[in-house]
Structures are given as structure tokens and as C-alpha cells.
């Protein structure tokens, strides 16, 4: 599929899903693991077990993605000391496009690159950006389609709650 056609399809999906509500997951659904190249290291989701993770899928051409980065930087700064990590997975076919974006809109969190979109397929991505909140046990607890200012407080509330909850060993 051409890059132009891919952008059209994703933009159409994003528009259709823009006003879709966020979704909660069943408590037993474990986040699918992945290992992807990052800016400075390999990003392996299994290594984040015991932390609260905000997993964000983005692309350089996505305007809502550009608007979400300053907010995600703020979240990382505010909750990072409490065991919170952001992983932003870029889906551009060209890593250079992603690097150009990051030069203009820096990230203070981990960025991974998935030019083939395999991780997006596993997570059944339907909009750009899409984000998933993962608890300390590695379970999916929240999904957001698109980036909407009105949902930020809902997500931040969930992050506050999850970062206040310590990992408890099962007996």
C-alpha cells in the first residue's frame, strides 16, 4: 500500500473513531509483549513489569500526536519517580521521518520504532494516536482512541491511582 493511501486509510479510521469512548479491559487481559528497537536501547515490554506503563502509538504526520507529546512529557516528569513509564511506538515506514519529528517535538520518555506495524496489528490499532494503560502486573486497564483534551483528566486519574498502588506478590 502506498504511503499516501496508508495515511488516507489511517486518517479515515482516526476520524471515524475520534469520538469513540475509551475502553476498559477485563482484569485478566495481559498486554501483548514486544521487543522493538528504540532510540538508545531495545524496548522490551516485559522489562517494564512492576511499572505502570502508558503505551502510545504515533506517527510523524499525525497532528494530534504532535499535540500529545508535551502532555506525555509532563506525565513522565510528574509520575516517573512513582514507577511510571511511557513507551511511544512510532509507526512511520521511515525512521528518518520519526527522527525529524522528534527533533522538533522532543520526548523525555522511551521511543520505539515499528516501521512494519506488527505491534499495532497485535494491539488491533484503530486510530492514531492510540494509547493503552498497563498496570504493574502487565494487564491492560484502559484504552484511548485519538487524543482529546477532555479525556486527559480521566487518564491522569487512572495513572495516579495505579502509581499509588504498589505491586503485591500473589500468595
Amino acid at each position: 500500500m502506498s504511503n499516501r493511501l496508508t495515511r488516507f486509510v489511517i486518517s479515515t479510521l482516526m476520524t471515524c473513531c475520534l469520538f469513540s469512548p475509551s475502553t476498559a479491559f477485563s482484569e485478566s487481559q495481559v498486554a501483548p509483549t514486544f521487543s522493538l528497537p528504540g532510540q538508545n536501547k531495545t524496548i522490551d515490554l516485559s522489562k517494564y513489569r512492576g511499572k505502570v506503563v502508558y503505551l502510545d502509538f504515533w506517527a510523524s504526520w499525525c497532528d494530534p500526536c504532535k499535540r500529545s507529546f508535551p502532555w506525555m512529557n509532563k506525565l513522565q516528569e510528574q509520575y516517573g519517580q512513582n514507577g511510571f513509564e511511557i513507551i511511544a511506538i512510532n509507526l512511520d515506514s521511515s525512521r528518518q521521518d520519526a527522527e525529524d519529528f522528534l527533533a522538533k517535538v522532543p520526548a523525555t520518555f522511551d521511543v520505539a520504532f515499528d516501521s512494519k506495524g506488527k505491534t499495532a496489528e497485535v494491539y488491533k490499532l484503530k486510530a492514531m494516536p492510540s494509547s493503552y494503560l498497563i498496570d504493574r502486573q502487565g494487564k491492560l486497564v484502559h484504552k484511548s482512541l485519538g487524543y482529546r483534551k477532555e479525556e486527559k483528566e480521566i487518564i491522569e486519574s487512572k495513572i495516579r491511582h495505579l502509581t499509588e498502588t504498589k505491586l503485591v506478590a500473589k500468595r
Side-chain angles (χ1 to χ4, degrees), residues 97-147:
D97 290 343
E99 296 289 356
D100 292 345
F101 175 98
L102 292 167
K104 294 174 191 165
V105 186
T108 59
F109 43 82
D110 290 334
V111 176
F113 302 96
D114 185 6
S115 62
K116 302 220 185 301
K118 298 292 185 189
T119 309
E121 287 177 21
V122 171
Y123 276 83
K124 298 178 172 88
L125 197 71
K126 293 183 178 163
M128 195 67 96
S130 283
S131 60
Y132 300 80
L133 194 54
I134 303 167
D135 71 11
R136 294 181 190 276
Q137 291 79 29
K139 296 176 184 172
L140 294 164
V141 294
H142 184 83
K143 177 171 89 172
S144 294
L145 305 176
Y147 172 73

Side-chain angles (χ1 to χ4, degrees), residues 55-165:
L55 181 63
D56 182 73
F57 289 90
W58 66 282
S60 64
W61 50 264
C62 169
D63 192 50
C65 299
K66 185 183 291 184
R67 292 193 312 268
S68 71
F69 267 58
W71 176 66
M72 290 191 296
N73 283 332
K74 181 184 135 247
L75 290 176
Q76 185 62 62
E77 181 181 334
Q78 189 169 355
Y79 298 104
Q81 71 276 7
N82 297 330
F84 174 75
E85 295 287 341
I86 294 175
I87 302 171
I89 299 178
N90 176 266
L91 299 174
D92 284 307
S93 57
S94 161
R95 181 165 172 167
Q96 189 59 51
D97 290 343
E99 296 289 356
D100 292 345
F101 175 98
L102 292 167
K104 294 174 191 165
V105 186
T108 59
F109 43 82
D110 290 334
V111 176
F113 302 96
D114 185 6
S115 62
K116 302 220 185 301
K118 298 292 185 189
T119 309
E121 287 177 21
V122 171
Y123 276 83
K124 298 178 172 88
L125 197 71
K126 293 183 178 163
M128 195 67 96
S130 283
S131 60
Y132 300 80
L133 194 54
I134 303 167
D135 71 11
R136 294 181 190 276
Q137 291 79 29
K139 296 176 184 172
L140 294 164
V141 294
H142 184 83
K143 177 171 89 172
S144 294
L145 305 176
Y147 172 73
R148 295 177 304 284
K149 288 182 181 181
E150 59 273 8
E151 192 173 6
K152 288 180 0 181
E153 183 51 40
I154 294 167
I155 294 168
E156 286 187 53
S157 175
K158 289 177 185 271
I159 291 169
R160 273 191 303 276
H161 172 73
L162 290 169
T163 57
E164 290 169 359
T165 305

Side-chain angles (χ1 to χ4, degrees), residues 1-13 61 91-93 115 128:
M1 191 179 321
S2 75
N3 199 20
R4 190 174 180 182
L5 181 58
T6 301
R7 286 181 183 183
F8 172 76
V9 169
I10 292 175
S11 294
T12 302
L13 283 171
W61 50 264
L91 299 174
D92 284 307
S93 57
S115 62
M128 195 67 96

